[in-house]
Amino acid sequence: MIQRIQTIFLFLAAACGFGILVAPFATTPQAVQTSALFADANFSIGDNIGLLVLFAVAGALSLASIFLFKNRQTQLKLTRFALVANVVGLVLAIILFWQDSANVASVPVDDGLSAYLPVGFVVFGILALRFIRKDENLVKSMDRLR
């Protein structure tokens, strides 16, 4: 049912996923001309199309899996794919930042909200998976009793 606890966790995961799209990963006080990521003083998702696609897919899959409450196996699969897309996006963002860190070594870099939202996405996604599995096990045990 849609009023289950995993719906709340999936909604919070989707909110984290879509929040990544609007908030910057990191900022600098001034634009760095030699940097590909900080040329506008913000490292955001829009700087790389791969990041944009991965985090948008993760948020969309999490949101879509809310409405698949009648088919828990598909809900589990979509939630797992959303988690994988989120983790791959986070790893790609870290790799891009490390590659560009030599260009911004002289400028202080402040982390933004999007640096922490993928961790929230993973936490909420894992909690949703746990409760989806719990519901599935409950339904299976009730089938055995009939």
Side-chain angles (χ1 to χ4, degrees):
M1 292 188 272
I2 203 158
Q3 67 263 25
R4 303 294 294 173
I5 187 76
Q6 61 263 24
T7 303
I8 294 170
F9 290 132
L10 288 170
F11 180 75
L12 289 172
C16 287
F18 290 128
I20 295 168
L21 300 176
V22 295
F25 262 82
T27 58
T28 56
Q30 63 209 23
V32 180
Q33 301 303 327
T34 59
S35 171
L37 298 177
F38 293 101
D40 60 349
N42 286 328
F43 171 33
S44 62
I45 295 300
D47 293 341
N48 188 310
I49 191 71
L51 289 175
L52 183 67
V53 168
L54 284 170
F55 287 118
V57 164
L61 286 176
S62 181
L63 191 63
S65 66
I66 291 173
F67 301 104
L68 295 172
F69 56 89
K70 290 186 180 184
N71 191 349
R72 282 173 296 283
Q73 292 300 322
T74 305
Q75 193 178 32
L76 278 169
K77 288 178 188 176
L78 283 183
T79 305
R80 285 184 192 130
F81 286 138
L83 281 170
V84 168
N86 184 55
V87 169
V88 169
L90 180 61
V91 169
L92 180 62
I94 291 170
I95 288 171
L96 288 172
F97 182 75
W98 278 345
Q99 286 178 345
D100 201 49
S101 64
N103 296 332
V104 293
S106 62
V107 179
V109 177
D110 299 321
D111 50 346
L113 179 63
S114 286
Y116 303 107
L117 286 177
V119 176
F121 187 98
V122 169
V123 169
F124 293 132
I126 289 172
L127 286 171
L129 282 175
R130 179 175 176 240
F131 283 101
I132 294 168
R133 275 193 221 109
K134 194 182 245 186
D135 271 359
E136 183 66 21
N137 291 338
L138 179 67
V139 169
K140 284 181 184 178
S141 70
M142 289 298 161
D143 285 343
R144 278 182 260 161
L145 291 175
R146 283 192 238 174

PDB file of all heavy atoms in Angstrom, residues 2-17:
ATOM      1  N   ILE A   2       0.296   2.306  -0.477  1.00  0.00           N
ATOM      2  CA  ILE A   2       1.074   3.526  -0.627  1.00  0.00           C
ATOM      3  C   ILE A   2       1.342   4.214   0.712  1.00  0.00           C
ATOM      4  O   ILE A   2       2.231   5.043   0.816  1.00  0.00           O
ATOM      5  CB  ILE A   2       0.387   4.465  -1.636  1.00  0.00           C
ATOM      6  CG1 ILE A   2       1.403   5.419  -2.220  1.00  0.00           C
ATOM      7  CG2 ILE A   2      -0.780   5.193  -1.011  1.00  0.00           C
ATOM      8  CD1 ILE A   2       1.031   6.008  -3.506  1.00  0.00           C
ATOM      9  N   GLN A   3       0.618   3.880   1.752  1.00  0.00           N
ATOM     10  CA  GLN A   3       0.839   4.533   3.043  1.00  0.00           C
ATOM     11  C   GLN A   3       1.820   3.765   3.917  1.00  0.00           C
ATOM     12  O   GLN A   3       1.857   3.965   5.114  1.00  0.00           O
ATOM     13  CB  GLN A   3      -0.484   4.765   3.769  1.00  0.00           C
ATOM     14  CG  GLN A   3      -1.182   3.508   4.218  1.00  0.00           C
ATOM     15  CD  GLN A   3      -2.267   3.061   3.247  1.00  0.00           C
ATOM     16  OE1 GLN A   3      -2.203   3.391   2.074  1.00  0.00           O
ATOM     17  NE2 GLN A   3      -3.218   2.321   3.715  1.00  0.00           N
ATOM     18  N   ARG A   4       2.629   2.921   3.359  1.00  0.00           N
ATOM     19  CA  ARG A   4       3.609   2.154   4.108  1.00  0.00           C
ATOM     20  C   ARG A   4       4.845   3.019   4.401  1.00  0.00           C
ATOM     21  O   ARG A   4       5.076   4.052   3.763  1.00  0.00           O
ATOM     22  CB  ARG A   4       4.021   0.898   3.336  1.00  0.00           C
ATOM     23  CG  ARG A   4       2.879  -0.024   2.973  1.00  0.00           C
ATOM     24  CD  ARG A   4       2.235  -0.654   4.147  1.00  0.00           C
ATOM     25  NE  ARG A   4       3.197  -1.540   4.778  1.00  0.00           N
ATOM     26  CZ  ARG A   4       3.004  -2.155   5.904  1.00  0.00           C
ATOM     27  NH1 ARG A   4       1.885  -1.994   6.556  1.00  0.00           N
ATOM     28  NH2 ARG A   4       3.921  -2.930   6.414  1.00  0.00           N
ATOM     29  N   ILE A   5       5.662   2.570   5.332  1.00  0.00           N
ATOM     30  CA  ILE A   5       6.852   3.330   5.748  1.00  0.00           C
ATOM     31  C   ILE A   5       7.871   3.440   4.614  1.00  0.00           C
ATOM     32  O   ILE A   5       8.568   4.444   4.495  1.00  0.00           O
ATOM     33  CB  ILE A   5       7.480   2.722   7.034  1.00  0.00           C
ATOM     34  CG1 ILE A   5       8.597   3.610   7.566  1.00  0.00           C
ATOM     35  CG2 ILE A   5       7.997   1.326   6.782  1.00  0.00           C
ATOM     36  CD1 ILE A   5       8.134   4.830   8.259  1.00  0.00           C
ATOM     37  N   GLN A   6       7.938   2.396   3.747  1.00  0.00           N
ATOM     38  CA  GLN A   6       8.905   2.472   2.658  1.00  0.00           C
ATOM     39  C   GLN A   6       8.555   3.581   1.668  1.00  0.00           C
ATOM     40  O   GLN A   6       9.435   4.110   1.002  1.00  0.00           O
ATOM     41  CB  GLN A   6       9.072   1.134   1.944  1.00  0.00           C
ATOM     42  CG  GLN A   6       7.854   0.589   1.293  1.00  0.00           C
ATOM     43  CD  GLN A   6       7.158  -0.427   2.158  1.00  0.00           C
ATOM     44  OE1 GLN A   6       7.305  -0.405   3.372  1.00  0.00           O
ATOM     45  NE2 GLN A   6       6.406  -1.309   1.550  1.00  0.00           N
ATOM     46  N   THR A   7       7.288   3.969   1.604  1.00  0.00           N
ATOM     47  CA  THR A   7       6.909   5.080   0.737  1.00  0.00           C
ATOM     48  C   THR A   7       7.553   6.370   1.219  1.00  0.00           C
ATOM     49  O   THR A   7       8.024   7.174   0.419  1.00  0.00           O
ATOM     50  CB  THR A   7       5.374   5.226   0.722  1.00  0.00           C
ATOM     51  OG1 THR A   7       4.807   3.990   0.302  1.00  0.00           O
ATOM     52  CG2 THR A   7       4.935   6.325  -0.202  1.00  0.00           C
ATOM     53  N   ILE A   8       7.588   6.556   2.511  1.00  0.00           N
ATOM     54  CA  ILE A   8       8.228   7.756   3.070  1.00  0.00           C
ATOM     55  C   ILE A   8       9.720   7.747   2.754  1.00  0.00           C
ATOM     56  O   ILE A   8      10.281   8.758   2.335  1.00  0.00           O
ATOM     57  CB  ILE A   8       7.979   7.839   4.583  1.00  0.00           C
ATOM     58  CG1 ILE A   8       6.492   8.050   4.851  1.00  0.00           C
ATOM     59  CG2 ILE A   8       8.805   8.947   5.220  1.00  0.00           C
ATOM     60  CD1 ILE A   8       6.090   7.902   6.288  1.00  0.00           C
ATOM     61  N   PHE A   9      10.357   6.589   2.933  1.00  0.00           N
ATOM     62  CA  PHE A   9      11.789   6.508   2.654  1.00  0.00           C
ATOM     63  C   PHE A   9      12.081   6.694   1.165  1.00  0.00           C
ATOM     64  O   PHE A   9      13.059   7.350   0.802  1.00  0.00           O
ATOM     65  CB  PHE A   9      12.363   5.189   3.160  1.00  0.00           C
ATOM     66  CG  PHE A   9      12.416   5.098   4.660  1.00  0.00           C
ATOM     67  CD1 PHE A   9      11.945   3.976   5.311  1.00  0.00           C
ATOM     68  CD2 PHE A   9      12.929   6.120   5.421  1.00  0.00           C
ATOM     69  CE1 PHE A   9      11.986   3.888   6.691  1.00  0.00           C
ATOM     70  CE2 PHE A   9      12.974   6.054   6.800  1.00  0.00           C
ATOM     71  CZ  PHE A   9      12.502   4.931   7.436  1.00  0.00           C
ATOM     72  N   LEU A  10      11.242   6.127   0.310  1.00  0.00           N
ATOM     73  CA  LEU A  10      11.437   6.312  -1.128  1.00  0.00           C
ATOM     74  C   LEU A  10      11.214   7.768  -1.526  1.00  0.00           C
ATOM     75  O   LEU A  10      11.940   8.301  -2.377  1.00  0.00           O
ATOM     76  CB  LEU A  10      10.503   5.393  -1.915  1.00  0.00           C
ATOM     77  CG  LEU A  10      10.857   3.916  -1.891  1.00  0.00           C
ATOM     78  CD1 LEU A  10       9.739   3.081  -2.491  1.00  0.00           C
ATOM     79  CD2 LEU A  10      12.157   3.659  -2.624  1.00  0.00           C
ATOM     80  N   PHE A  11      10.246   8.423  -0.907  1.00  0.00           N
ATOM     81  CA  PHE A  11      10.017   9.833  -1.196  1.00  0.00           C
ATOM     82  C   PHE A  11      11.201  10.684  -0.736  1.00  0.00           C
ATOM     83  O   PHE A  11      11.630  11.597  -1.446  1.00  0.00           O
ATOM     84  CB  PHE A  11       8.723  10.318  -0.534  1.00  0.00           C
ATOM     85  CG  PHE A  11       8.445  11.765  -0.801  1.00  0.00           C
ATOM     86  CD1 PHE A  11       7.982  12.179  -2.040  1.00  0.00           C
ATOM     87  CD2 PHE A  11       8.666  12.726   0.182  1.00  0.00           C
ATOM     88  CE1 PHE A  11       7.742  13.519  -2.294  1.00  0.00           C
ATOM     89  CE2 PHE A  11       8.427  14.058  -0.063  1.00  0.00           C
ATOM     90  CZ  PHE A  11       7.963  14.457  -1.307  1.00  0.00           C
ATOM     91  N   LEU A  12      11.736  10.402   0.445  1.00  0.00           N
ATOM     92  CA  LEU A  12      12.902  11.152   0.935  1.00  0.00           C
ATOM     93  C   LEU A  12      14.127  10.897   0.054  1.00  0.00           C
ATOM     94  O   LEU A  12      14.916  11.813  -0.194  1.00  0.00           O
ATOM     95  CB  LEU A  12      13.185  10.785   2.387  1.00  0.00           C
ATOM     96  CG  LEU A  12      12.172  11.301   3.403  1.00  0.00           C
ATOM     97  CD1 LEU A  12      12.451  10.716   4.786  1.00  0.00           C
ATOM     98  CD2 LEU A  12      12.171  12.809   3.449  1.00  0.00           C
ATOM     99  N   ALA A  13      14.279   9.647  -0.425  1.00  0.00           N
ATOM    100  CA  ALA A  13      15.387   9.340  -1.339  1.00  0.00           C
ATOM    101  C   ALA A  13      15.217  10.111  -2.648  1.00  0.00           C
ATOM    102  O   ALA A  13      16.188  10.671  -3.177  1.00  0.00           O
ATOM    103  CB  ALA A  13      15.454   7.840  -1.602  1.00  0.00           C
ATOM    104  N   ALA A  14      13.985  10.164  -3.177  1.00  0.00           N
ATOM    105  CA  ALA A  14      13.733  10.918  -4.402  1.00  0.00           C
ATOM    106  C   ALA A  14      13.996  12.407  -4.180  1.00  0.00           C
ATOM    107  O   ALA A  14      14.551  13.082  -5.055  1.00  0.00           O
ATOM    108  CB  ALA A  14      12.305  10.688  -4.880  1.00  0.00           C
ATOM    109  N   ALA A  15      13.611  12.924  -3.020  1.00  0.00           N
ATOM    110  CA  ALA A  15      13.872  14.331  -2.709  1.00  0.00           C
ATOM    111  C   ALA A  15      15.372  14.605  -2.674  1.00  0.00           C
ATOM    112  O   ALA A  15      15.832  15.637  -3.175  1.00  0.00           O
ATOM    113  CB  ALA A  15      13.228  14.707  -1.379  1.00  0.00           C
ATOM    114  N   CYS A  16      16.141  13.680  -2.094  1.00  0.00           N
ATOM    115  CA  CYS A  16      17.602  13.830  -2.094  1.00  0.00           C
ATOM    116  C   CYS A  16      18.135  13.770  -3.520  1.00  0.00           C
ATOM    117  O   CYS A  16      19.025  14.534  -3.899  1.00  0.00           O
ATOM    118  CB  CYS A  16      18.251  12.742  -1.251  1.00  0.00           C
ATOM    119  SG  CYS A  16      18.051  12.957   0.516  1.00  0.00           S
ATOM    120  N   GLY A  17      17.604  12.842  -4.315  1.00  0.00           N
ATOM    121  CA  GLY A  17      18.065  12.697  -5.700  1.00  0.00           C
ATOM    122  C   GLY A  17      17.795  13.931  -6.533  1.00  0.00           C
ATOM    123  O   GLY A  17      18.650  14.374  -7.307  1.00  0.00           O
TER     124      GLY A  17
END
